[in-house]
Amino acid sequence: FPGGGWEDADLCWRFARATELELAYAPRAVVFHRYRATAREFVVQHYRYGSGLGLVSSKHAAELGTAWLKRTRSYDSLPRVALSWLGAELRRLRGRRVELVTPRFDLLRLLGQRAGVLRARLRGP
């Protein structure tokens, strides 16, 4: 999963398949994430997440339910997210105070992820 994330999920599935051991929840574990400073970095990050998602879903398709696979490969939420952003933008242009960050970044996140999933599906496992 070069730069794409989801290696943790892959590791868990392989671990569960290969051993009789069980993974345990560690409530005091600490995970550090690097937040992206620009919209471009954010889209690239989610493009990579999408690539990893496409790879892991291809690699473990037999273990995943068809509903989950269908959801990860679906583009039907793009129009809803784009309209949400457009509506917020129109309200802003009419002089209303509106928070644009969430709708804008939802759209960028979804576009990046879906493009990454598409890339992974075209390349194959």
Side-chain angles (χ1 to χ4, degrees), residues 40-59:
R40 182 182 185 287
E41 290 175 346
F42 184 80
V43 171
V44 169
Q45 174 189 19
H46 284 278
Y47 175 80
R48 289 178 177 159
Y49 287 169
S51 295
L53 177 60
L55 290 171
V56 81
S57 64
S58 296
K59 187 174 181 180

Side-chain angles (χ1 to χ4, degrees), residues 51-72:
S51 295
L53 177 60
L55 290 171
V56 81
S57 64
S58 296
K59 187 174 181 180
H60 300 286
E63 293 148 312
L64 299 171
T66 56
W68 192 88
L69 287 171
K70 184 178 177 185
R71 184 172 163 255
T72 63

Side-chain angles (χ1 to χ4, degrees), residues 7-104:
E7 56 276 336
D8 53 345
D10 178 58
L11 175 67
C12 290
W13 275 309
R14 289 186 296 122
F15 180 85
R17 229 186 290 135
T19 73
E20 296 295 320
L21 301 173
E22 292 183 16
L23 294 174
Y25 173 66
R28 294 180 58 189
V30 177
V31 177
F32 294 96
H33 292 275
R34 183 173 68 89
Y35 291 97
R36 304 314 191 250
T38 67
R40 182 182 185 287
E41 290 175 346
F42 184 80
V43 171
V44 169
Q45 174 189 19
H46 284 278
Y47 175 80
R48 289 178 177 159
Y49 287 169
S51 295
L53 177 60
L55 290 171
V56 81
S57 64
S58 296
K59 187 174 181 180
H60 300 286
E63 293 148 312
L64 299 171
T66 56
W68 192 88
L69 287 171
K70 184 178 177 185
R71 184 172 163 255
T72 63
R73 296 174 179 171
S74 171
Y75 295 84
D76 60 354
S77 56
L78 276 171
R80 178 185 49 79
V81 173
L83 287 173
S84 170
W85 175 63
L86 181 61
E89 206 46 76
L90 290 173
R91 287 190 297 280
R92 183 189 65 80
L93 291 173
R94 290 184 184 144
R96 297 183 185 163
R97 287 187 60 118
V98 64
E99 178 65 40
L100 287 175
V101 173
T102 300
R104 181 183 305 146

